[in-house]
Amino acid sequence: MKAVIIDDEFWTRDSIKRLADWTRFGIEQVEEAEEGLSGLRIIDEIRPDIVITDMRMRGMDGAELLRKLTEDYPFIRKIVISGFDDFAYTKQAILSKVDEYILKPVQAEELNRALEKAASELRIARGLHAAQPLGKDVMSVVTAYKEQISRQFQELRAGAVGESFASLEALLRTQAQAAPGLYHLLYKHFMLLLGELAAKAGADDASALPEQAASFFVTDFTPLEQWIGMLRAAYGAVLEQTIQLRRSKHRIDIEDIRRFIDRSFAEPITLESVAGLYFVSKEHLSRTFRQATGSTVMDYIIAKRVEEANRLLQASASIKSAAEAVGYSDLTYFHRIFKKITGMTPAQARREAADER
């Protein structure tokens, strides 16, 4: 295993290096950095298993570093070392799910206890999560389920979401032996997806999630029904909050609907699906939207798709990739719609952009 120490005080880094029983925990390489940016460069280079960081540093501080680690390196175990007066940073440490928060001056017993916990959890998970991405075959299956569940979530079909997770569980049970780290990766993939879906829907997933769902740690030995059940509960709770939010609106918020379309136009949304999301009839939505914007819902969606496709073509994307990126798999239909809106074919738009360059 590998570790990185990030602290702008030399004596603190030196103390940690001397006090930690690295050999006992199987940590063979220890690097150090004086601040967050140089620490990130080292992390990107050696892909450590454990990061020990101060919170208050010049340049990129510990709070920003923890956010980056949570986003880009979710499987790294994180230990925070900080002064007593820095407890304002504790909230970010909690949000970033650090393993331990240790006060300075560093005590050998406390440091080694934190390292023992981090190393133990890494071993339980076989320490392979960050090193082994999902294989192509598994990734294609996961992508299909993510697309299906995303669509069902946006249509507020809680029952269908539950059925999809049941189907995924049944599929995984047919596998003779799961690859090391697979369950952990799948859980993380679907929890990240839930955060994205909640953000799109305007729901607060942090308050809606079951208390244990966000911090639930899945290993190769976690029973399949346990972590799939946790996902079902998490999605169900956030969906329930989303449904209540939509029902609590007594009138159509056209700006909210426009923002939703602006975020989701590349997905298979229709007048009916948007009306269902906002608990109004499609006739009422169509009439109100046109009065406010001068455009029908579908014309607005199509205009957004063509606008984005044109932008991609201007940036040298192929016609096929631009069409697929905005939700059109039928190239003939895409050509017809694009020409109707812009007055030129996709090929002409692409050539025109190339000529201007």
Side-chain angles (χ1 to χ4, degrees), residues 276-303:
L277 283 174
Y278 288 87
F279 297 96
V280 295
S281 71
K282 61 182 182 180
E283 293 79 14
H284 181 44
L285 171 60
S286 181
R287 184 172 56 253
T288 308
F289 192 90
R290 187 161 196 161
Q291 287 172 349
T293 67
S295 168
T296 68
V297 172
M298 287 312 300
D299 282 348
Y300 187 80
I301 292 170
I302 291 169

Side-chain angles (χ1 to χ4, degrees), residues 248-266:
S248 68
K249 294 183 176 180
H250 300 299
R251 62 184 180 81
I252 298 178
D253 186 339
I254 295 299
E255 283 307 307
D256 187 35
I257 292 172
R258 284 175 61 154
R259 285 192 294 271
F260 169 75
I261 294 173
D262 289 348
R263 293 192 303 266
S264 311
F265 62 84

Side-chain angles (χ1 to χ4, degrees), residues 17 19 71 99 173 182 247 250 253 270 294 302 326 328 343:
K17 289 182 74 173
L19 294 174
E71 291 170 5
D99 290 271
R173 285 195 186 283
L182 175 64
R247 283 178 174 159
H250 300 299
D253 186 339
T270 63
I302 291 169
V326 298
Y328 291 117

Side-chain angles (χ1 to χ4, degrees), residues 153-164:
F153 186 101
Q154 291 182 39
E155 294 168 355
L156 305 183
R157 296 163 57 206
V161 170
E163 289 171 6
S164 291

Side-chain angles (χ1 to χ4, degrees), residues 320 323-324 326-334:
K320 185 174 185 292
E324 290 177 346
V326 298
Y328 291 117
S329 57
D330 185 337
L331 287 182
T332 302
Y333 181 70
F334 172 68

Side-chain angles (χ1 to χ4, degrees), residues 3-66:
V4 175
I5 305 166
I6 306 173
D7 195 300
D8 57 1
E9 297 174 340
F10 168 78
W11 51 89
T12 299
R13 300 196 308 274
D14 186 61
S15 293
I16 292 170
K17 289 182 74 173
R18 286 187 295 100
L19 294 174
D21 194 349
W22 305 111
T23 305
R24 173 183 159 199
F25 305 122
I27 299 170
E28 300 167 347
Q29 181 179 353
V30 181
E31 302 293 338
E32 55 184 287
E34 295 183 352
E35 44 77 36
L37 283 175
S38 57
L40 275 177
R41 284 194 290 272
I42 294 172
I43 289 166
D44 186 57
E45 180 182 342
I46 72 168
R47 300 299 173 99
D49 304 279
I50 300 170
V51 168
I52 304 170
T53 182
D54 190 13
M55 290 301 283
R56 183 178 293 179
M57 299 179 288
R58 64 181 183 276
M60 177 185 286
D61 66 11
E64 188 176 352
L65 174 66
L66 287 174

